[in-house]
Amino acid sequence: MEYRRLGASGPVVSRVAFGNSLTAGNQLDDRTAAACVRAALDAGITTFDTADAYAGGRAEEHLGRALVGVDRDAVVICTKVGRGGGPGPGALSRTRIAESLDASLRRLGTGHVDLYQAHLYDDSTPLEETMSAFADAVAAGKVRHVGVSEWAADEIERAAALARDLGIELVSNQPQYSMLWRVIEAEVVPACASLGVGQMVWSPLAGGVLTGKYRPGRQPPAGSRAVAAQGGDVSIRRYRFLSDEVLTAVDRVAGLAAEAGLPLPRLALAWVLHNARVDTAVIGASAPEQIARNLAAVDTVLDPELLARVDAALGPVVVTDPELTLSRMLRARAADPSHAPLREVTQ
């Protein structure tokens, strides 16, 4: 395993992190979820990602139980706030952050989280209030570092400036990023690079589509995320990754991977890690053995010719429009459900 500092001043993270957004408390039983965490630790993964919204809080509980007995200083625990939460104050209001953080700490069984990220942008709450609440959490010792998830470039720039005024640093952004989904490249990545904000990307295998398990013209296999995990459409169906056009293009990439002597998932994860601006990539697993197989990507060096052939094989199915950064997409959808870029992605 390799390790790298997250952004200019964040925690030192493993190049591959383990996330339980659609597994623990949802798709997997407690024993299997714990076995996946143990396999991650055995493989040298130190960084674990979850959120208060995952499986209604059960994902945090699973992670907390799985890390009992592990040296707290040897792991980086990351969680998020600001998605859902029901009626009441805004998702990133001072009240909601304070309540959600204390609940997350109880579920995780720890006195602090190493990285606390704002999950989606909250239009209903002044950004000054959100960042002030984050600064208070840091001052109280409950949070070591703060970041955001799925924010647009201009939102990240404003948050970073406010954070510095309050004496803290915004260290991370957690966006979706893969061979198929590259909407952060045009605006988010350059903005973050100038601010010292690192990228902790999720869904590097496009929700499993880049494993090759889904085939054009066929139904998704039984037990796969597309049919078995509640919320599996977050990284699959919402972005029409199961369309025949996309799956045919992925088949072409699978052929290139075979020529290079690489399993497709290893190529896909190595492609993400090849981006120098990606500090860590969050993977999930439904079985412990998947983790060791995928981690070979950390040491995989990709030839420039292979990278060019991958781009040619994927062609027009690659999504690059920065307007599809999730915070912008949700705002546009609320304003106009018929918005053209959204139709292209959601149909």
Side-chain angles (χ1 to χ4, degrees):
M1 179 57 65
E2 295 177 2
Y3 304 90
R4 178 183 289 188
R5 188 166 299 281
L6 181 59
S9 58
V12 174
V13 294
S14 47
R15 288 284 276 145
V16 173
F18 181 80
N20 67 357
S21 64
L22 292 174
T23 51
N26 180 358
Q27 193 176 15
L28 303 183
D29 59 54
D30 200 27
R31 178 177 297 180
T32 304
C36 287
V37 172
R38 287 195 298 272
L41 289 166
D42 290 344
I45 290 175
T46 59
T47 307
F48 295 86
D49 177 67
T50 188
D52 61 351
Y54 297 160
R58 295 188 302 278
E60 288 182 327
E61 293 173 352
H62 276 259
L63 181 59
R65 289 195 295 269
L67 292 177
V68 169
V70 175
D71 180 0
R72 180 64 184 85
D73 292 333
V75 293
V76 176
I77 297 178
C78 314
T79 193
K80 295 182 281 296
V81 60
R83 201 184 85 189
L92 291 178
S93 67
R94 177 179 296 279
T95 299
R96 187 64 61 83
I97 288 172
E99 293 174 349
S100 294
L101 176 56
D102 285 344
S104 289
L105 293 174
R106 287 195 300 271
R107 288 190 290 261
L108 288 164
T110 183
H112 73 276
V113 292
D114 299 283
L115 178 63
Y116 200 44
Q117 297 182 113
H119 208 168
L120 306 182
Y121 190 86
D122 177 17
D123 285 308
S124 69
T125 301
L127 187 53
E128 292 82 358
E129 178 180 341
T130 298
M131 300 314 297
S132 176
F134 272 15
D136 288 348
V138 172
K142 296 180 180 181
V143 171
R144 297 281 172 84
H145 303 278
V146 300
V148 299
S149 178
E150 289 291 354
W151 287 27
D154 59 316
E155 296 163 347
I156 293 170
E157 289 168 342
R158 294 199 305 273
L162 286 169
R164 287 177 179 169
D165 287 345
L166 292 163
I168 60 174
E169 294 288 330
L170 191 74
V171 305
S172 66
N173 175 49
Q174 187 170 345
Q176 183 175 2
Y177 185 59
S178 70
M179 285 181 181
L180 294 172
W181 191 259
R182 310 185 195 181
V183 302
I184 62 171
E185 291 182 342
E187 296 180 0
V188 169
V189 168
C192 287
S194 67
L195 295 166
V197 173
Q199 302 301 315
M200 180 181 187
V201 305
W202 64 277
S203 201
L205 303 184
V209 171
L210 289 170
T211 67
K213 71 174 69 174
Y214 304 106
R215 305 301 304 279
R218 301 183 189 176
Q219 290 296 312
S224 64
R225 178 176 294 183
V227 296
Q230 298 176 22
D233 62 342
V234 166
S235 55
I236 303 177
R237 296 188 188 279
R238 179 187 292 164
Y239 307 126
R240 66 182 191 91
F241 284 167
L242 294 182
S243 69
D244 281 352
E245 181 186 11
V246 172
L247 296 180
T248 298
V250 171
D251 267 359
R252 292 194 292 267
V253 175
L256 296 177
E259 286 182 29
L262 299 172
L264 178 58
R266 181 173 169 186
L267 171 60
L269 183 54
W271 185 94
V272 167
L273 295 175
H274 179 79
N275 187 327
R277 296 300 181 185
V278 172
D279 293 324
T280 183
V282 181
I283 64 168
S286 56
E289 56 270 19
Q290 292 176 350
I291 295 171
R293 287 201 303 265
N294 288 338
L295 288 192
V298 175
D299 300 317
T300 299
V301 178
L302 300 180
D303 184 88
E305 181 183 355
L306 176 58
L307 293 171
R309 295 179 70 193
V310 165
D311 284 345
L314 292 174
V317 305
V318 174
V319 183
T320 61
D321 185 356
E323 289 301 313
L324 297 178
T325 303
L326 191 52
S327 67
R328 285 186 182 173
M329 182 164 61
L330 293 176
R331 189 175 299 118
R333 178 178 291 166
D336 180 8
S338 66
H339 193 262
L342 300 184
R343 289 203 307 274
E344 294 172 4
V345 171
T346 58
Q347 283 178 350

